[in-house]
Amino acid sequence: MGLKQRWLLWRKRRVIFPPDEIHQAGENAELRLEKLCRAAGKTNQWSVYPSVRIPDPDGGRREIDLILVSGTTVLVVEQKHWSGRFEVFEDGEFLQHRNKGGEHSHATVAHRIARKARLLEEIHRKRFPDNEMSFHVLVAMTHPRLEWPDRIPDIPAEMVNERQLLDRIQSIGGEEINSEFSETMDGFGTWDEIHMHGGLKLKGDLLDIGLGTGVEEWDVHRNGELKATVEHPRGFFSVFKNTTSQITLSDSDGRHIDIKCKEGPMLKMHVVGRTSSEEVDWMQIDGILASKKPAEWG
């Protein structure tokens, strides 16, 4: 590789992808609620499942923000971390009025999470027809500076704030998760993540690792999560010699594989909210975390 090519590769490795602050704020709120629920539900043996993705018979998968289970009780939770104030109309539309001005319509928030809960129940009952689980649908509004409307019409989900949700799991439950429902839940995955240099996190479906057939064959036998850590030579003096990036892949079973590469490998991902899949250059990636592969029903 000539000096010009090494210079271009060095510049590529050093490109900064700053975090998406809006999406990061929402993700931080979800992580906070997950941790609070784990702490509040520990005594009453609540199992906590964040960001669960279930198949939709209409195509693709749908995400449930949080599923809480104790015994045969299932709380299916949609979290909204809005500030300002909101209204709910008879047709189920949620209208958010932001503190900084402007409005945003969130059509049928309650109806969507209620449908996801029905899909989850149908998947489980198809596997275990005689297993009786009790499903409850909640929309948790977790921002402390949110003004609630005086009246909320009849909608297919219970509206709660953060404190009410935590009080709920502290006051009910008390049993280990039903074993058959636990088996069903173990068949679902979550989002895959790519951590770019600079802090940007891409979430979506990892379609192709892009590191060759040997790695693909290694990944076929994976049961749990896949982690990748990447070390890139980004120092200035690396321009003057041929350098390689080292990618280490490991899974939940303790297997790992090391790959050294220069410019070239690209992985493919369908990022959430984008219309089509895209390639991402390994030379600009700091790491990935891929969900476990879903079971037949997941």
Side-chain angles (χ1 to χ4, degrees):
M1 182 182 291
L3 179 61
K4 181 179 179 180
Q5 287 74 28
R6 293 198 299 268
W7 168 259
L8 294 174
L9 177 58
W10 176 77
R11 291 187 62 187
K12 180 191 293 187
R13 287 168 170 162
R14 289 175 60 87
V15 172
I16 298 294
F17 296 85
D20 182 332
E21 294 183 359
I22 294 177
H23 286 93
Q24 189 62 50
E27 187 169 321
N28 290 343
E30 291 178 0
L31 181 59
R32 178 180 180 275
L33 183 62
E34 176 195 342
K35 290 181 177 179
L36 288 172
C37 287
R38 290 190 187 280
K42 186 175 182 180
T43 300
N44 285 346
Q45 302 184 68
W46 284 91
S47 296
V48 179
Y49 298 90
S51 300
V52 179
R53 300 183 68 210
I54 63 174
D56 187 333
D58 292 341
R61 288 185 171 86
R62 299 291 173 258
E63 180 189 16
I64 299 175
D65 289 341
L66 199 61
I67 299 176
L68 308 172
V69 191
S70 179
T72 58
T73 300
V74 184
L75 306 183
V76 182
V77 182
E78 172 79 8
Q79 180 185 9
K80 295 299 180 186
H81 198 66
W82 302 341
S83 59
R85 64 184 181 90
F86 74 99
E87 300 176 83
V88 185
F89 299 100
E90 296 292 340
D91 62 358
E93 178 192 6
F94 281 60
L95 183 63
Q96 177 190 7
H97 301 268
R98 296 190 174 101
N99 279 332
K100 295 182 179 180
E103 299 176 347
H104 187 75
S105 174
H106 302 263
T108 62
V109 170
H111 290 79
R112 287 201 304 270
I113 187 59
R115 179 176 181 271
K116 294 174 188 177
R118 288 195 300 271
L119 292 176
L120 174 62
E121 183 174 4
E122 289 169 4
I123 291 168
H124 179 62
R125 293 202 187 285
K126 186 175 181 180
R127 301 188 67 242
F128 299 102
D130 298 326
N131 185 235
E132 293 297 328
M133 303 294 294
S134 175
F135 290 79
H136 306 267
V137 184
L138 297 90
V139 175
M141 313 296 280
T142 56
H143 201 291
R145 294 190 298 276
L146 177 66
E147 181 182 340
W148 286 56
D150 294 331
R151 176 183 174 275
I152 295 178
D154 185 23
I155 54 177
E158 180 182 352
M159 301 292 299
V160 296
N161 60 31
E162 182 178 274
R163 184 68 262 165
Q164 289 170 330
L165 175 60
L166 298 178
D167 286 345
R168 174 81 62 89
I169 62 177
Q170 287 178 320
S171 61
I172 64 173
E175 301 177 34
E176 288 187 8
I177 182 174
N178 175 272
S179 60
E180 292 179 335
F181 192 71
S182 176
E183 184 180 319
T184 295
M185 291 300 300
D186 284 343
F188 300 125
T190 185
W191 296 110
D192 302 321
E193 299 177 357
I194 300 177
H195 298 260
M196 304 296 292
H197 180 53
L200 178 65
K201 182 189 297 183
L202 303 178
K203 297 177 69 172
D205 290 317
L206 182 60
L207 305 177
D208 186 358
I209 298 176
L211 294 174
T213 55
V215 173
E216 296 293 340
E217 292 172 1
W218 178 88
D219 190 53
V220 165
H221 302 287
R222 172 169 61 90
N223 294 317
E225 293 180 337
L226 171 68
K227 293 183 180 180
T229 56
V230 190
E231 295 182 4
H232 297 292
R234 293 192 173 104
F236 176 72
F237 290 105
S238 64
V239 175
F240 301 103
K241 55 185 177 180
N242 287 321
T243 58
T244 58
S245 295
Q246 178 160 317
I247 303 170
T248 300
L249 303 176
S250 59
D251 65 13
S252 302
D253 292 333
R255 301 183 310 144
H256 75 276
I257 185 171
D258 294 322
I259 304 103
K260 290 185 177 181
C261 57
K262 297 181 181 179
E263 188 173 13
M266 309 280 281
L267 63 74
K268 183 178 289 186
M269 177 182 241
H270 193 165
V271 178
V272 178
R274 300 182 187 176
T275 56
S276 60
S277 62
E278 55 197 83
E279 291 185 329
V280 184
D281 197 321
W282 272 103
M283 296 299 100
Q284 297 173 324
I285 294 172
D286 282 348
I288 67 171
L289 177 61
S291 169
K292 65 182 179 182
K293 298 176 181 179
E296 180 184 356
W297 61 89

